[in-house]
Amino acid sequence: MGQKESILRELTLDIASLHEAYSSGVPVEKVLDQVVERLEEISDPGIFIYRASRSALCEAAAALGSFDPESKPLWGIPFAVKDNIDVAGMPTTAACTEFSYLPSSDATVVRLLKDAGAIVVGKTNLDQFATGLVGVRTPYPIPKNAVDHSLIPGGSSSGSAVATSHGIVSFALGTDTAGSGRVPAGLNNIVGLKPTVGAVSTAGVVPACRSLDCVSIFALTVPDAFTVLEVVAQPDEADSYSRACELGKLSKPAPSLRIGVPRAADLRFDDDVFMQSGFEQSRETLAGMGHTIVELPFHDFFATADLLYEGAWVAERYAAIHDFIESNEKDMHPVTAAIISAGKSLSAVDAFRGAYALQGLKAKLAPIIDSVDMICVPTAPRHFTLDEVLADPLRTNTTLGTYTNFVNLLDLCGIAVPVAQRSDGLPMSVTLLARAGGDAVVASLAADLHQQPGLLLGATRWPVPRFTAPAQVVGPGEIELVVVGAHLSGMPLNADLVAAGGRFLRAVSTTPDYRLCVLPDQPVAKPGLVRVDKGTGTSIAVEVWSLPEEQFGRFVDSIPSPLGIGTILLTDGSSPKGFLVESVAIQEAPDISQFGGWRNYVNQLSS
């Protein structure tokens, strides 16, 4: 066996592995042949509604030219597209044969991926018109859950999740309005990234609720999902809901984040003790990584979720396919038709009532969301068998949306990530949520979580590749700022730093030339850092953040006496500006230098 054949036999489909293979001379056509072989081995006719022919795949590969991952970051990467997203020359059905049409142009997101060198393998199955979280509302064969064929695949992006989990493709596009980009990811042991609403264009996507719809990304790894997001997150004049978003970069997360979780009384698992145990273990994992777990009341999150299928947003689904459903309702899946047709009876008054209710809930939830760096929830409360869903399609679907339906309504971004195997062998997944624009923040922590021992990629036997996140570096138009106490990640004033555009860069220590004291009479407990004679001080743990230049002066101006800004010497050889204290203010203040930093001191007090 030659070297290329050996590489191909052992090849996994994560982007780094594929690009390493291509750089060693493995032809794209050989990888595409392997994709087709895997699909045939899986023998699941429900995954794809339409597949590209081998000749079409080879034609796309030939058009790539020589291997060039710099100008084409997805060069030669095979991907699948949910069949409510247009691909030129491939029919779009939205899982409704009577609705089918042949688009002459790609959806914006598909065009961007092709331009980056990715190759479309085919169009995947879904819950009809992207209405459902179960993955069974389709006139085509139902895709089989990649982990356990007796279970539902989850939806609505069922085929995309299953294709990714089996390693048939490196990544797949889905859509997400109520959780369709997260639930099937969780049920099939893969990563499901739901971007900030508007970050990825929905031009060329059959709408469900146009004001809430997102294009989502399924991948085997977090870095792969985020790499795809970086390619497609671009403003688009063709989409009136598109917006420019500074998503940040995948990096090492801050060392002590405040992570909100539903308080125990609000957790819902529909009697699935394995999922409950798995989530408790995930909490412990996060705490063991140094993060602070904060229990949050979740009643109003659930009340927000209820709005999605009550009133205004059901009417929006009806508006999306009004012309078609009026003349073709009998040709639709009966459950889908019943759900969407309920919008006929709703009035403009109902729509305004829904909008007012949502605005009220947003106002109530804003301080809760702002009190933490992100929120961690179970991706789904439980797994369901196919028989359970067919026997009770509405209740089971509602249960699956417990932790997903509120997300787009509240303008949150999120990422579902496998964290463990449950004690019964089924996958366990959590979803990390953050405010709009926090995509890199949640993805960075998700990448850490996905490094837990024993995890495999999807339904394959491939281990999760090791990933070391690069440290953040100060960008153009930014100034480094050393924070010492209450502005540290997870501390009470960190939200002020984030609100000013602050980005965590690195955790480091000062040179051993400083003392740390507790400042007296402060409304928020904080320390003072002061430089002393060489050889008479201690090394103090600090964090370096960046601030936009235009915000730096405003932020510094808000710092109360006796604190100020000066140059701080760090053990990594840098000397950024940071918080110092006037020496006169700490003459009688308690010296806590022996703790090595404010966080250690606060933790000692708490314990």
Side-chain angles (χ1 to χ4, degrees), residues 39 47-48 80 124 146 158-170 172 220:
L39 182 56
I47 297 176
F48 283 92
T124 55
S158 51
S160 289
V162 173
T164 304
S165 183
H166 280 305
I168 295 168
V169 291
S170 299
L220 293 169

Side-chain angles (χ1 to χ4, degrees), residues 584-602:
V584 67
I586 57 169
Q587 289 178 354
E588 297 182 5
D591 189 323
I592 58 170
S593 304
Q594 70 272 21
F595 290 97
W598 181 247
R599 195 186 309 282
N600 289 344
Y601 171 72
V602 170

Side-chain angles (χ1 to χ4, degrees), residues 10-228:
E10 299 172 1
L11 186 63
T12 61
L13 256 67
D14 61 283
I15 295 172
S17 295
L18 279 181
H19 277 183
E20 184 178 354
Y22 292 146
S23 68
S24 70
V26 171
V28 182
E29 291 80 3
K30 289 289 187 181
V31 171
L32 295 175
D33 284 343
Q34 190 179 72
V35 165
V36 174
E37 288 172 11
R38 282 179 178 162
L39 182 56
E40 291 173 350
E41 287 173 7
I42 298 304
S43 188
D44 181 354
I47 297 176
F48 283 92
I49 293 176
Y50 179 91
R51 283 172 51 191
S53 65
R54 188 184 186 283
S55 61
L57 291 174
C58 290
E59 184 179 335
L64 291 175
S66 58
F67 181 53
D68 183 7
E70 293 299 320
S71 64
K72 294 182 181 295
L74 298 177
W75 195 98
I77 305 300
F79 75 107
V81 179
K82 185 177 180 179
D83 196 23
N84 61 342
I85 303 173
D86 287 347
V87 177
M90 296 185 183
T92 299
T93 72
C96 182
T97 53
E98 291 75 15
F99 179 78
S100 179
Y101 63 91
L102 189 66
S104 59
S105 60
D106 293 321
T108 299
V109 62
V110 173
R111 174 179 57 78
L112 291 170
L113 291 169
K114 286 183 176 179
D115 290 346
I119 298 174
V120 181
V121 172
K123 304 291 290 295
T124 55
N125 208 345
L126 66 151
D127 281 314
Q128 192 173 81
F129 292 112
T131 300
L133 295 172
V134 287
V136 307
R137 299 171 184 169
T138 173
Y140 304 99
I142 296 170
K144 300 171 185 175
N145 183 293
V147 178
D148 184 332
H149 289 355
S150 71
L151 302 174
I152 59 165
S156 59
S157 311
S158 51
S160 289
V162 173
T164 304
S165 183
H166 280 305
I168 295 168
V169 291
S170 299
F171 71 92
L173 297 182
T175 58
D176 189 307
T177 304
S180 297
R182 292 160 279 155
V183 168
L187 301 186
N188 287 278
N189 197 44
I190 58 173
V191 173
L193 191 158
K194 188 217 77 71
T196 295
V197 176
V200 179
S201 172
T202 56
V205 178
V206 178
C209 290
R210 195 160 170 241
S211 64
L212 302 176
D213 292 341
C214 292
V215 174
S216 62
I217 301 162
F218 296 100
L220 293 169
T221 71
V222 174
D224 282 6
F226 203 79
T227 295
V228 174

Side-chain angles (χ1 to χ4, degrees), residues 92-101 128-131 139-140 206-207 316-334 336-338 340-341 344:
T92 299
T93 72
C96 182
T97 53
E98 291 75 15
F99 179 78
S100 179
Y101 63 91
Q128 192 173 81
F129 292 112
T131 300
Y140 304 99
V206 178
E316 189 174 12
R317 286 184 184 270
Y318 176 64
I321 58 168
H322 170 269
D323 294 341
F324 178 80
I325 196 172
E326 283 299 298
S327 56
N328 296 274
E329 185 172 346
K330 68 181 187 305
D331 298 320
M332 294 173 60
H333 190 283
T336 306
I340 297 178
S341 294
K344 294 180 182 180

